[in-house]
Amino acid sequence: MKELVWNLKDIFQDDHEFEESFEIVKQKVTHLKQYQESNWSATALWKLLEEYWDMKEKCNRILIYGSFGYYKDVQNPSMIEQKRRVEEFSSQIDCETDWIPKQIVKIGQDVITDWMLQLPKLEKYHLYFDNLFRMKNHLVKDPKTEHENQNRINQKITEYTNLIHHMEFPNIQVEGKEITLNTSNMNKYLNSRNRDVRKNAFLSINSSYHEKCQQYVEIMNEIYKKRIENAHLGNNTTVLESVLMKEKIDATVIENLIQTIQKSLPLLQKYMSLKMQYLEIEDPHLYDVGVPLDNKNQHKYSLEDAISMIRQALKPVGKEYLQIVDRLLDGHIDATLDPKKHQSITFSWNSYSFLNYKESYVDVKNLIHELGHIVNYELSHQNQPYLYEDSTIFVGEIASISNEIFLNRYLYQNAKMKGEKIFYLSKEIENYVTSVFRQTMYTEFEMELYKMATTDSLTTTKVITLYSQLQQKYYGKDISYDEVAKYEWMRLGHLFRWSYYPYKYATGLMMAGILVNGILTGTISIKQYIHFLSSGSSKYSLDLLKDLNMDILDISVMEKGLQILKDDVEEFEKLVK
């Protein structure tokens, strides 16, 4: 197997073509302005939208290509500047063309409906129109202020990223050697099989965050205040409302999620108790909860073995899916280790994935996870126009997390030793711990933070007290909570970079569990699944889930999403006792 590296020629042939595209997009924006003074008709609107979305696609290519260079060479000043440049260019273009949705709303829904009947090719924009009129009362009243706020938010996020990047921690002793902890290696030592090592890493790292707590709170406070202001500029009462509005997600989804998880906390705490018994830890602390159950046998998976396992694991989803996987493995994944690369991030964007493959189980899981995202995108790209080819995060996580479940199922079923079975079963359970329970805890945390920031300023006391209370509610009274445990929230980048992101991991995994069981039992067909993956955002998220026989406004469906976890914990109890 050759190295997995990006080939970006599908985006731009070279840097020269990339640079030329800026002027092309600017010319297209200028050309669009001619429509402002035109006599509006069905044909004029269709021409405008065709040109507008063509321009948006070209602008998106600039943003992607210009950003990728930074992740490949994170310390390179020119790449840092290029990323800033393309982000600002994209924001500027959005600002210069924001008159288009406003003009459509001004024309009126009844007229647009008549025009779609007169000109059937306008029907392609039906969902786009529906979204505009659904959100017409939420168009930003002051785009300039919103733009300034967003730029300030981006600046504070960069400040947060730099603060994280330059964190320094006290050294720890590992097997007689002094180790310097940093953001790249911290997880290795936080999850060490050696209890003294993970304890010292936990205390060292969180003590350092404690010292910087005031700075982090000040950054968060300004970001949240600006987001609240932007929500109000869009005539939304809360940031949550503005986030859910964009995807037409009913707030019942979050209510059902929190209610379901709170009822299931005894299941989480039961697993933790069984795990601590298996590890023979009599006085468990929070730094013990993430230690892997691999009997000190640290598995290594070559890239060749990983690809082979992934192909085997994904057989249940059919040949068409596997053919796309094979195609994307050639030039669409950058996984080769390189000290210049960003060391602590894994992501997918467009049909490209980025990770650092180090031959651990987590790397195999990350690879199959990101393949889920880019196969989803590729199928949607083949079947949808540009404006619908990106899946929403809400449904997109189902495509990636279901792959993780298929991987664990395959590895567990083919494990020959009891220790291996415990390892793979625990990995699946731990996925629920981190992606469902912890992400729901983060969602509760974020909801309360925004409530605080709406009425007053965030303070260190308020933030750490809230986080500590949630830790103890979720993990229960049998865990000991060191004083510095309440400072780990500062490492949760999504709380700074996005609004209400974590709940999508939780719902994604629960729905992925239903999906995998459905495919394996035949209640959901491969054809249904491929159709779902090919739909992009051509329907609202909750409607797309209904195509897979899932209505998550029904809390019983949400509860069904925990069935795999319930079965796994029962099986785990049999194996470890």
Side-chain angles (χ1 to χ4, degrees):
M1 166 66 65
K2 61 183 180 180
E3 293 183 328
L4 295 181
V5 293
W6 278 334
N7 177 357
L8 302 180
K9 291 187 181 297
D10 286 347
I11 305 177
F12 290 113
Q13 283 294 312
D14 50 37
D15 288 348
H16 178 69
E17 186 182 6
F18 165 67
E19 290 297 335
E20 285 185 331
S21 65
F22 283 88
E23 189 58 36
I24 292 171
V25 168
K26 289 177 185 177
Q27 290 173 4
K28 286 182 175 293
V29 170
T30 299
H31 186 260
L32 284 170
K33 291 177 182 176
Q34 71 174 338
Y35 289 98
Q36 285 182 284
E37 306 302 326
S38 67
N39 293 320
W40 289 98
S41 65
T43 301
L45 178 60
W46 179 77
K47 288 181 179 178
L48 167 67
L49 290 174
E50 290 292 290
E51 292 183 32
Y52 171 65
W53 284 103
D54 178 65
M55 179 278 298
K56 290 277 283 183
E57 180 173 18
K58 287 178 170 57
C59 188
N60 191 50
R61 285 171 176 263
I62 290 172
L63 181 62
I64 293 169
Y65 189 90
S67 298
F68 279 2
Y70 164 77
Y71 294 105
K72 289 278 286 182
D73 194 358
V74 72
Q75 296 292 337
N76 188 329
S78 66
M79 292 296 100
I80 295 171
E81 170 58 24
Q82 180 172 280
K83 183 172 181 288
R84 183 204 61 77
R85 176 189 173 203
V86 296
E87 287 174 345
E88 289 193 0
F89 182 75
S90 178
S91 180
Q92 175 193 341
I93 296 302
D94 284 343
C95 194
E96 289 184 26
T97 56
D98 73 335
W99 62 269
I100 293 173
K102 290 178 181 177
Q103 180 62 48
I104 294 170
V105 170
K106 187 177 178 181
I107 291 169
Q109 191 165 13
D110 290 342
V111 173
I112 297 294
T113 301
D114 287 342
W115 285 355
M116 282 193 288
L117 293 173
Q118 293 173 28
L119 192 67
K121 55 188 176 182
L122 263 179
E123 179 64 29
K124 161 180 158 182
Y125 296 100
H126 175 82
L127 187 65
Y128 172 67
F129 294 142
D130 187 67
N131 257 316
L132 288 180
F133 290 110
R134 181 177 63 83
M135 298 183 68
K136 67 180 181 180
N137 293 325
H138 299 277
L139 289 175
V140 175
K141 292 176 285 190
D142 184 353
K144 182 181 177 182
T145 299
E146 185 204 36
H147 179 65
E148 290 171 352
N149 284 346
Q150 189 56 53
N151 282 342
R152 184 59 177 164
I153 289 168
N154 290 340
Q155 290 170 9
K156 299 306 289 186
I157 290 173
T158 299
E159 190 178 323
Y160 165 78
T161 302
N162 289 335
L163 194 56
I164 284 279
H165 185 72
H166 293 102
M167 286 292 294
E168 294 182 354
F169 311 107
N171 291 350
I172 61 170
Q173 291 290 321
V174 179
E175 296 178 352
K177 296 179 181 178
E178 194 165 283
I179 299 295
T180 300
L181 291 169
N182 55 51
T183 53
S184 297
N185 68 15
M186 65 164 61
N187 285 332
K188 172 184 176 181
Y189 297 109
L190 285 171
N191 296 318
S192 172
R193 284 86 179 159
N194 183 309
R195 195 178 189 214
D196 286 336
V197 170
R198 65 178 180 266
K199 173 185 176 181
N200 291 334
F202 181 87
L203 296 176
S204 170
I205 290 165
N206 287 311
S207 294
S208 296
Y209 277 103
H210 176 202
E211 293 173 7
K212 302 284 187 180
C213 187
Q214 184 63 36
Q215 289 176 258
Y216 283 95
V217 171
E218 287 173 359
I219 292 171
M220 175 177 273
N221 188 63
E222 185 166 357
I223 290 173
Y224 279 38
K225 292 288 188 185
K226 294 295 184 186
R227 285 181 179 152
I228 291 166
E229 184 179 359
N230 278 355
H232 292 164
L233 287 173
N235 200 29
N236 296 289
T237 56
T238 64
V239 173
L240 177 61
E241 181 183 306
S242 67
V243 170
L244 297 180
M245 178 74 66
K246 291 173 184 174
E247 293 186 37
K248 201 182 178 183
I249 303 292
D250 194 303
T252 304
V253 170
I254 290 186
E255 293 169 8
N256 285 353
L257 172 66
I258 292 174
Q259 184 178 338
T260 300
I261 294 309
Q262 288 186 353
K263 284 170 57 179
S264 302
L265 288 178
L267 185 63
L268 168 66
Q269 292 162 13
K270 176 182 178 180
Y271 168 68
M272 285 300 162
S273 177
L274 289 168
K275 180 178 180 178
M276 294 305 115
Q277 290 174 34
Y278 178 71
L279 292 170
E280 298 181 344
I281 296 175
E282 295 181 358
D283 177 28
H285 285 240
L286 207 57
Y287 51 75
D288 293 315
V289 302
V291 61
L293 300 186
D294 57 4
N295 290 331
K296 299 183 180 179
N297 180 17
Q298 298 184 37
H299 298 248
K300 289 287 184 181
Y301 308 85
S302 70
L303 187 57
E304 291 84 354
D305 287 343
I307 298 298
S308 176
M309 289 189 298
I310 285 170
R311 288 191 177 114
Q312 292 297 319
L314 294 176
K315 277 187 176 180
V317 292
K319 291 182 179 179
E320 180 181 356
Y321 191 102
L322 287 171
Q323 287 169 353
I324 296 172
V325 167
D326 287 340
R327 188 164 71 250
L328 294 174
L329 284 168
D330 185 12
H332 284 254
I333 299 173
D334 198 299
T336 304
L337 297 180
D338 185 336
K340 293 181 180 180
K341 287 174 67 174
H342 198 302
Q343 297 298 306
S344 59
I345 193 169
T346 297
F347 69 87
S348 290
W349 192 355
N350 193 271
S351 61
Y352 295 88
S353 295
F354 179 93
L355 63 148
N356 292 277
Y357 191 81
K358 301 174 183 176
E359 300 190 336
S360 72
Y361 166 83
V362 171
D363 298 313
V364 183
K365 186 188 82 164
N366 285 343
L367 180 55
I368 200 169
H369 178 103
E370 299 307 326
L371 275 166
H373 281 307
I374 61 177
V375 170
N376 183 193
Y377 177 87
E378 187 67 16
L379 280 166
S380 293
H381 175 71
Q382 292 171 11
N383 291 278
Q384 302 298 333
Y386 170 70
L387 74 161
Y388 301 136
E389 70 183 16
D390 254 339
S391 294
T392 63
I393 296 170
F394 186 83
V395 298
E397 285 304 315
I398 296 172
S400 55
I401 297 173
S402 60
N403 278 8
E404 293 183 32
I405 298 175
F406 279 121
L407 175 67
N408 273 329
R409 288 289 180 92
Y410 170 77
L411 293 173
Y412 179 75
Q413 290 166 1
N414 287 275
K416 294 179 171 54
M417 305 294 290
K418 182 179 177 181
E420 281 187 293
K421 285 189 173 292
I422 289 173
F423 173 72
Y424 292 124
L425 186 60
S426 71
K427 287 298 182 184
E428 183 160 278
I429 296 173
E430 296 286 348
N431 208 9
Y432 278 86
V433 174
T434 57
S435 296
V436 176
F437 288 94
R438 285 184 70 91
Q439 302 301 329
T440 304
M441 183 178 82
Y442 300 154
T443 300
E444 282 200 66
F445 183 51
E446 191 171 4
M447 289 177 76
E448 292 303 318
L449 288 174
Y450 273 114
K451 287 178 185 176
M452 289 179 186
T454 300
T455 57
D456 202 354
S457 292
L458 298 176
T459 66
T460 54
T461 301
K462 289 178 183 176
V463 175
I464 64 175
T465 299
L466 171 62
Y467 193 71
S468 179
Q469 290 170 346
L470 287 168
Q471 285 177 317
Q472 294 177 48
K473 179 171 81 170
Y474 273 73
Y475 287 101
K477 58 182 176 57
D478 293 332
I479 299 287
S480 294
Y481 301 90
D482 298 274
E483 181 64 22
V484 295
K486 63 183 72 170
Y487 298 102
E488 70 171 8
W489 63 270
M490 284 173 266
R491 293 190 281 118
L492 307 177
H494 50 70
L495 292 173
F496 294 82
R497 297 187 180 103
W498 305 285
S499 295
Y500 293 103
Y501 194 92
Y503 87 91
K504 297 173 184 180
Y505 284 116
T507 55
L509 178 50
M510 293 166 78
M511 297 308 102
I514 295 175
L515 171 69
V516 170
N517 276 344
I519 289 175
L520 294 176
T521 59
T523 58
I524 296 175
S525 68
I526 293 175
K527 184 178 179 181
Q528 270 182 291
Y529 185 44
I530 295 296
H531 175 74
F532 170 79
L533 295 176
S534 303
S535 297
S537 54
S538 60
K539 291 182 179 181
Y540 291 118
S541 298
L542 298 187
D543 292 333
L544 281 173
L545 287 180
K546 289 176 183 176
D547 289 345
L548 292 176
N549 312 324
M550 301 180 201
D551 180 3
I552 61 173
L553 296 181
D554 179 352
I555 196 168
S556 67
V557 174
M558 191 81 77
E559 291 168 347
K560 184 180 176 184
L562 287 175
Q563 190 56 51
I564 284 181
L565 176 62
K566 292 174 184 175
D567 294 342
D568 284 351
V569 171
E570 288 180 11
E571 184 68 18
F572 182 79
E573 187 171 18
K574 294 175 186 175
L575 284 171
V576 300
K577 284 198 169 181

